[in-house]
Amino acid sequence: MTEITDAIAALVGGTPLVELAQVAPEYGVRFFAKLEGQNPTGSVKDRIVLRMLQRARELGALAPGQAIVEASTGNTGLAVAMLGRRLGHPVEICVPESVYPEIGRLLRAHHATVRWVPRQAGIKSALEVAARVAREEGAFFLDQFGNEENVRTHYETTAHEILEALPRVDAFVAGIGTGGTITGVGRRLKEANPHCRVVGVEPRLGVHLQGLTSLEEGFIPPLLDESLLDGKLLVGNRHAVSHARRVLGSEGLFVGISSGAVMHAAMRVASRLGSGNVVLIFADGGAKYLSTEIWEAADPEAAYDPEDPIDDVLWW
Ligand SMILES: Cc1ncc(COP(=O)(O)O)c(C=O)c1O
């Protein structure tokens, strides 16, 4: 197959924007979540990978049958494994050992070769290993952290879909991994409404939240345009998990841990905004985190205390 124009590719994007009526605060703020877990491999990453592969093929940078290598904590790896294979490319994914066990199993199920990098080295060293594999073994390095198509895809597709469904957006909340989602969508939403507040979510220092990057650890993703951010929230595991469970318990949506962190951040944004429409990116689904047992432990309706000082909030 030479072009990704088939039925599977047609399933990428066009995800629903749903109102979260149960978890929204009583006062005049409405929450709308973009359900990116409904993409074919279960995350927002299908969008950027489809575009990056198509563009690389168009430009001749990626030759038919050439091996593809990428660094990922999971979601991008799954998208490359599925879409790359459909295009006839062998796929290798460099993955930090800190990821959840489902990730390795899912990548192998998608026939990808997994190259593990030491836990403490994290995504930064996975990137270095992937670049070396490309240099030494002639594989094509997709490089989601440096590929402008990442930001462009969100500007042209994710943001466009949001504005079509909800013309007035007063605040936008998304996790920061490569920074592609928040930069691409944030840029377009601010063009549509210059008063739209764009708030980024990252893990607290030393905390692992799947798919998110801690800027405090010193690795600033090159695609991230921090000038677009009106605020940043550093979220801990407890709040990320309790709010992922709250969304499941109250709205019936099985979302991932970074979505829980975004949900928690949105509650803080709401209390500051007072009224308006807040759009949240739920980047993936919860199924790949089942082995963590977070879904069974303690009381799912963990009370939300707006004054809880746990998380660092940085408003510009
Ligand atoms: C679960 C999850 N949430 C959020 C993100 C952040 O998205 P981006 O890389 O566009 O910043 C990612 C990225 O990998 C992710 O996998």
Side-chain angles (χ1 to χ4, degrees), residues 80-287:
V80 180
M82 191 275 276
L83 292 163
R85 181 175 164 76
R86 292 191 71 76
L87 265 181
H89 298 277
V91 171
E92 177 165 342
I93 307 295
C94 304
V95 187
E97 285 161 348
S98 52
V99 302
Y100 299 105
E102 283 86 350
I103 301 295
R105 292 191 201 119
L106 285 164
L107 286 170
R108 284 192 297 275
H110 279 284
H111 303 277
T113 303
V114 179
R115 190 184 291 232
W116 295 104
V117 303
R119 161 181 299 275
Q120 59 287 0
I123 193 65
K124 212 153 160 275
S125 106
L127 281 166
E128 287 150 11
V129 172
R132 195 187 69 235
V133 169
R135 253 192 337 273
E136 294 171 2
E137 302 172 23
F140 176 78
F141 180 26
L142 213 60
D143 189 18
Q144 61 167 334
F145 279 84
N147 193 320
E148 279 298 336
E149 290 299 333
N150 180 343
V151 173
R152 197 171 296 124
T153 304
H154 289 299
Y155 179 92
E156 292 175 3
T157 71
T158 323
H160 174 73
E161 292 165 22
I162 290 169
L163 288 170
E164 275 214 318
L166 189 72
R168 186 190 170 86
V169 180
D170 300 290
F172 174 64
V173 186
I176 300 174
T178 62
T181 306
I182 198 152
T183 299
V185 177
R187 186 170 289 149
R188 182 82 180 262
L189 294 185
K190 275 193 183 278
E191 285 169 6
N193 170 12
H195 305 297
C196 178
R197 314 296 297 269
V198 175
V199 178
V201 178
E202 61 174 279
R204 287 170 60 81
L205 200 56
V207 168
H208 172 73
L209 289 181
Q210 182 70 17
L212 303 188
T213 303
S214 163
L215 308 189
E216 309 297 305
E217 280 167 14
F219 173 57
I220 309 294
L223 294 174
L224 175 64
D225 179 352
E226 289 191 88
S227 72
L228 281 168
L229 301 185
D230 297 286
K232 208 170 55 160
L233 229 112
L234 282 63
V235 179
N237 252 322
R238 190 163 72 84
H239 279 125
V241 168
S242 65
H243 283 80
R245 295 186 57 176
R246 194 151 185 247
V247 171
L248 179 57
S250 309
E251 303 284 355
L253 295 170
F254 193 23
V255 298
I257 298 169
S258 80
S259 303
V262 165
M263 183 74 251
H264 173 63
M267 302 297 273
R268 310 296 291 258
V269 170
S271 58
R272 191 175 173 104
L273 206 63
S275 67
N277 295 334
V278 180
V279 170
L280 299 74
I281 295 285
F282 286 170
D284 70 352

